[in-house]
Amino acid sequence: MTTTRSSTAISGAASTAALQLDYLSSDAIASQSPAWWQNVLGVVGFEQLPPIEGSRVPITASMTPSLGANDAVCEVWRVAGPGVQLSDGAAEGSRVRYRFCEDLLFGSITIDERLLEAGSALRGGADHAVVDAGALLRATEIAYQEIFGVLRETEHPHLIRIWNFLPEINREAGGDERYRLFNSARQLAFRNSGQATVGTVPAASALGSPAGSPISIYFLAARQPPKMIENPRQTSAYYYPPKFGRHSPIFSRACVLHESAGTNLFVSGTASIVGHETIHHGDVGAQTRETMANISALLHEVNRVVGAARYRLDGLKFKVYVRDPADLSAIEGALSRSLRSSIPIVYLQADVCREDLLVEIEATGESGRVAFGVM
């Protein structure tokens, strides 16, 4: 792989980059000055690609429709700090788009598995379900191989947070659920790239996008290793029993970066699971409350591990995935019991990785304040 970088030089000295997450409308993003864009690592639209032109910043979309008052909102990742400079990268033969500084890297990749499926179908002789499963397995393996290739090339070896969006995540393909096939391919790609599959694995989410969407993955990586955190109330996902699939999911419940300020806590997609079992079947309000109990327990563990009360619920930003849009009001009501109305929450419609889960919640946290400029 050959990597090309922009003319912006990267200092060899350790930087003090601080990471910032904002949820901004497409209009607000489009109105920003060129100086503002110099600090942007990446932009994520939800239902579709945001209409942003002329930017070299990686721009992607999860393809998950917004709910409530979140229409046309985007996820924006920026960095700030003394002497922080960003570079653009393009890896030859890779689909990954990325931007990085000395400490941090944001990247994204989309793959339309239907194109792989069409190629297999042209060769003929295979059952459609088998071809469908094979296309998903191959697309996942390609995506992760190319991601790890970029991380090696840029010397940001530590994948800290990754978001995976798969079309029809719960549908059966080739005799198994697509999410379970994804887990098998992800594990193979991790192993083939020399990555750990237990313990020091990234925080992550895997959600379902509408039929016909591409596989969309975006991620954050770092030069220095984060601290991985597990939830005392839950079995580590990579130790799930075989009843949840031939290969376990690969993610930590949370991870913490060691920056002194900015966004540095990443809480993985969290649901109504205690131990390894789903609880409160069919009750979306109870599932929401149990999910928040899990996040609260995880925050307690994070603060214990870092040795200080650095994180609390009302200091987090949340993204809530709702399986059935008709459940939005009940979920909002359940969250209002534990979160102030001023806390940033984005609601999206997406299928959750288990069919009996009705809601999933992820969060990010900041340990300090950084001046990122007025928008």
Side-chain angles (χ1 to χ4, degrees):
M1 181 189 307
T2 300
T3 300
T4 60
R5 303 183 180 183
S6 72
S7 59
T8 303
I10 299 180
S11 169
S15 73
T16 56
L19 190 61
Q20 170 85 3
L21 167 64
D22 294 307
Y23 294 121
L24 302 174
S25 70
S26 296
D27 289 342
I29 294 171
S31 67
Q32 298 299 330
S33 68
W36 182 86
W37 281 99
Q38 291 177 7
N39 292 93
V40 177
L41 276 174
V43 178
V44 182
F46 297 131
E47 187 165 7
Q48 59 188 2
L49 282 170
I52 300 170
E53 298 180 358
S55 171
R56 293 180 299 176
V57 170
I59 297 172
T60 191
S62 63
M63 314 307 293
T64 49
S66 300
L67 296 174
N70 302 138
D71 191 37
V73 170
C74 298
E75 183 175 310
V76 181
W77 292 94
R78 294 190 291 155
V79 291
V84 173
Q85 296 180 338
L86 296 182
S87 286
D88 307 308
E92 184 178 342
S94 172
R95 301 163 180 83
V96 180
R97 292 198 63 201
Y98 57 98
R99 204 171 198 215
F100 61 102
C101 62
E102 180 71 13
D103 293 345
L104 297 164
L105 179 147
F106 174 95
S108 66
I109 182 170
T110 59
I111 297 181
D112 190 339
E113 63 191 279
R114 294 173 300 177
L115 300 180
L116 300 179
E117 183 177 346
S120 297
L122 287 174
R123 292 190 287 272
D127 178 80
H128 173 73
V130 174
V131 171
D132 178 27
L136 171 60
L137 290 167
R138 183 61 181 146
T140 303
E141 186 179 355
I142 289 171
Y144 273 87
Q145 285 175 344
E146 294 188 4
I147 287 169
F148 289 130
V150 165
L151 301 190
R152 286 192 298 270
E153 191 74 17
T154 63
E155 299 180 352
H156 292 76
H158 303 287
L159 193 59
I160 57 176
R161 181 62 166 99
I162 190 157
W163 293 261
N164 304 278
F165 296 90
L166 317 178
E168 302 180 284
I169 194 170
N170 301 130
R171 180 170 63 80
E172 183 178 307
D176 208 348
E177 186 186 47
R178 283 171 56 81
Y179 177 58
R180 296 186 178 193
L181 293 172
F182 166 78
N183 284 332
S184 293
R186 173 168 55 175
Q187 185 154 135
L188 177 63
F190 268 68
R191 292 184 184 279
N192 286 345
S193 297
Q195 301 289 318
T197 57
V198 300
T200 55
V201 295
S205 304
L207 284 304
S209 53
S213 302
I215 293 175
S216 179
I217 300 174
Y218 64 99
F219 58 95
L220 289 161
R223 193 173 298 274
Q224 300 300 321
K227 180 69 176 178
M228 309 307 183
I229 311 290
E230 292 300 308
N231 190 337
R233 299 183 83 229
Q234 295 180 302
T235 303
S236 296
Y238 40 79
Y239 290 142
Y240 277 176
K243 73 181 238 181
F244 293 107
R246 185 178 305 172
H247 297 98
S248 295
I250 298 176
F251 68 90
S252 294
R253 298 296 178 182
C255 76
V256 180
L257 290 176
H258 299 294
E259 297 149 330
S260 59
T263 299
N264 56 13
L265 169 66
F266 300 91
V267 176
S268 295
T270 304
S272 183
I273 297 172
V274 176
H276 57 259
E277 298 287 359
T278 300
I279 62 173
H280 307 303
H281 292 261
D283 188 336
V284 70
Q287 285 200 13
T288 304
R289 291 188 292 274
E290 197 68 54
T291 300
M292 293 306 295
N294 275 328
I295 292 176
S296 295
L298 187 56
L299 286 184
H300 181 79
E301 180 67 7
V302 169
N303 288 331
R304 184 192 69 80
V305 170
V306 302
R310 293 167 61 183
Y311 303 101
R312 62 185 190 277
L313 276 180
D314 61 7
L316 302 182
K317 296 175 181 176
F318 294 88
K319 197 155 50 172
V320 180
Y321 300 99
V322 181
R323 181 180 289 276
D324 184 349
D327 287 336
L328 178 60
S329 179
I331 293 170
E332 289 178 319
L335 289 178
S336 69
R337 301 181 184 183
S338 54
L339 300 176
R340 298 196 314 264
S341 60
S342 59
I343 290 176
I345 306 177
V346 171
Y347 294 93
L348 302 171
Q349 193 282 312
D351 291 336
V352 187
C353 62
R354 295 185 189 178
E355 285 195 282
D356 54 11
L357 291 173
L358 305 175
V359 61
E360 178 171 311
I361 302 175
E362 66 180 58
T364 59
E366 299 177 1
S367 62
R369 286 293 166 191
V370 185
F372 279 85
V374 178
M375 289 175 290

